[in-house]
Amino acid sequence: MTEPLTPSSASPVLTHPASGSPASTASTPSRSEWIDVAKGLGILLVVYGHVARGLVNGGVPMDRDWFTRLDTVIYSFHMPLFFLLSGWFFLGSMSRRGPKDYLVGRIATVLYPYVVWSLLQGGIELLLSRWTSKPVTLGEVLALGWAPRAQFWFLYALFLMSVLALLVCFKHPRRGVVALILIGAVAFACQQRDWVMPLALVASHLMYFAAGAWLGSRPWRTVSLSRLLVAGALAGGVAVWLLAPMVAEWPKVFRVAAATLGSCLVMLLAIALDVSRRGQWLALFGRSSMAIFLLHILVASGVRIVLVKVLGVRDPGLHLLAGVTAGMVLPWWIWRSAQGTRAMAWFEMPRSWRQRLLGSRDIRPVAA
């Protein structure tokens, strides 16, 4: 997941094509609304997926057929969706802040929490290895520079592709984004299983980040964006249906089709919920998605250990309900309580450190 966003971090102003004036909230899906709803939906799927896999690995009895089907669907698109949303404001943020400021922002809100929480969660898992479903070693915890583990691979890959995108786009942003899409597509097509992890992670997801950057650089009205997403969902759905019998022959094409279908459907649902004013609670989670992403594994693992080891509960439905609820709500509450306090240093680099990196006292809001 990406760092929490602020209204001031928006990309270019969304406008009516005819007048060029700022569009009204009723006709335009604004940055602080539907994208936060989409991120809320995405982080909910992430938490569910990790809780469900933790139950299976921990020996809690579940319907394996139901679990496998739902797990396959969720994991076909939820991370491509997050990379796409992470790229949505890339051009606007880089153009407004400048290359150095943008890079410092990524260090502060992506690389910094990656290092802090990789060591923190890894250390806790190391201490609790005898009670967890997947014991870890000290070597695995300390290999964060070249072998990210657990959910933190997303932050690792996001930082690397942010740096690459900056190098490609800072002189000619719009042409650079097109080049970035081509680089991502070629890297995805050429990727092999034996590639080193950093290169493999970027190659697998760069084109989604680049596609998000291209989409986010354009002014969209609700209707036009929705039509594009409907077209994407239909194309992805038809491709999935046609390629299903040939997955072994065309695995990468099938992956792109499934990611396109799922991502477009989630974004359509987010826009619909935003327009109907029914997605506010998801937007709250979307704005705190970084904190939820960082904390939910520890929270959900703790809930599972208490239910199984202390209370003797093995009902999978109760485990899912408790694990997902705690994994969403508790990190949100911690993040909200930390706002404006020194505790925010758990989630992003302290202001004084950023000032030293920038060589300036002016720290602008960080965009995704």
Side-chain angles (χ1 to χ4, degrees):
M1 319 329 43
T2 56
E3 62 272 19
L5 302 170
T6 61
S8 58
S9 65
S11 199
V13 177
L14 295 160
T15 61
H16 290 296
S19 65
S21 61
S24 66
T25 303
S27 63
T28 304
S30 69
R31 178 253 147 263
S32 60
E33 296 170 347
W34 80 266
I35 284 195
D36 283 337
V37 176
K39 290 173 63 182
L41 289 167
I43 198 65
L44 180 61
L45 294 175
V46 168
V47 174
Y48 166 82
H50 287 157
V51 170
R53 287 189 171 191
L55 295 180
V56 171
N57 294 331
V60 175
M62 292 184 68
D63 184 325
R64 287 304 181 101
D65 183 63
W66 174 82
F67 162 77
T68 301
R69 289 176 183 272
L70 191 54
D71 185 81
T72 300
V73 170
I74 291 174
Y75 277 81
S76 70
F77 73 88
H78 73 326
M79 296 319 295
L81 170 67
F82 264 117
F83 280 110
L84 188 148
L85 295 176
S86 296
W88 200 278
F89 300 106
F90 163 67
L91 281 187
S93 179
M94 183 191 67
S95 299
R96 185 180 65 257
R97 299 167 61 83
K100 181 180 180 181
D101 201 347
Y102 174 82
L103 179 59
V104 169
R106 297 316 253 182
I107 293 173
T109 60
V110 178
L111 182 61
Y112 172 85
Y114 166 73
V115 173
V116 170
W117 285 89
S118 292
L119 294 174
L120 180 61
Q121 179 173 306
I124 293 174
E125 290 178 344
L126 188 63
L127 292 174
L128 300 178
S129 284
R130 59 182 296 186
W131 294 289
T132 58
S133 56
K134 287 187 175 181
V136 300
T137 65
L138 179 61
E140 290 173 328
V141 174
L142 297 180
L144 74 163
W146 59 91
R149 54 178 306 277
Q151 76 272 30
F152 303 117
W153 70 266
F154 169 76
L155 299 179
Y156 184 89
L158 179 59
F159 180 75
L160 292 180
M161 65 180 64
S162 296
V163 174
L164 176 60
L166 184 63
L167 293 173
V168 173
C169 300
F170 80 96
K171 283 190 176 180
H172 304 286
R174 293 187 180 275
R175 281 183 287 175
V177 165
V178 175
L180 197 66
I181 293 175
L182 295 177
I183 293 171
V186 171
F188 181 80
C190 296
Q191 182 202 349
Q192 300 296 324
R193 289 182 177 274
D194 59 351
W195 283 15
V196 294
M197 187 177 293
L199 185 58
L201 289 175
V202 172
S204 296
H205 300 95
L206 176 61
M207 63 179 177
Y208 301 114
F209 179 93
W214 183 85
L215 288 168
S217 68
R218 280 147 178 77
W220 295 102
R221 297 182 64 188
T222 303
V223 173
S224 58
L225 180 58
S226 297
R227 286 174 179 171
L228 179 66
L229 294 176
V230 168
L234 288 175
V238 170
V240 166
W241 178 68
L242 292 175
L243 292 169
M246 303 179 289
V247 174
E249 291 81 9
W250 300 93
K252 291 186 177 181
V253 179
F254 184 84
R255 282 167 55 191
V256 174
T260 301
L261 172 61
S263 297
C264 287
L265 289 177
V266 169
M267 288 190 285
L268 280 169
L269 177 58
I271 291 174
L273 289 171
D274 173 49
V275 170
S276 65
R277 301 300 180 190
R278 296 178 180 176
Q280 289 90 337
W281 65 277
L282 283 167
L284 289 176
F285 290 127
R287 285 187 285 272
S288 58
S289 57
M290 173 61 87
I292 296 173
F293 184 80
L294 294 172
L295 276 164
H296 75 277
I297 291 288
L298 289 177
V299 172
S301 297
V303 169
R304 185 179 69 249
I305 290 172
V306 170
L307 288 177
V308 173
K309 303 295 184 180
V310 178
L311 302 178
V313 176
R314 301 188 67 81
D315 177 75
L318 183 56
H319 270 276
L320 284 173
L321 178 62
V324 172
T325 301
M328 293 288 289
V329 175
L330 186 56
W332 167 80
W333 178 81
I334 292 173
W335 173 80
R336 185 176 178 83
S337 301
Q339 296 297 303
T341 72
R342 292 184 178 180
M344 279 302 293
W346 289 106
F347 302 113
E348 60 184 45
M349 183 179 287
R351 174 177 290 266
S352 60
W353 296 16
R354 282 195 248 181
Q355 288 173 343
R356 293 174 185 174
L357 290 177
L358 280 172
S360 169
R361 294 185 178 181
D362 179 27
I363 299 179
R364 303 171 189 173
V366 179

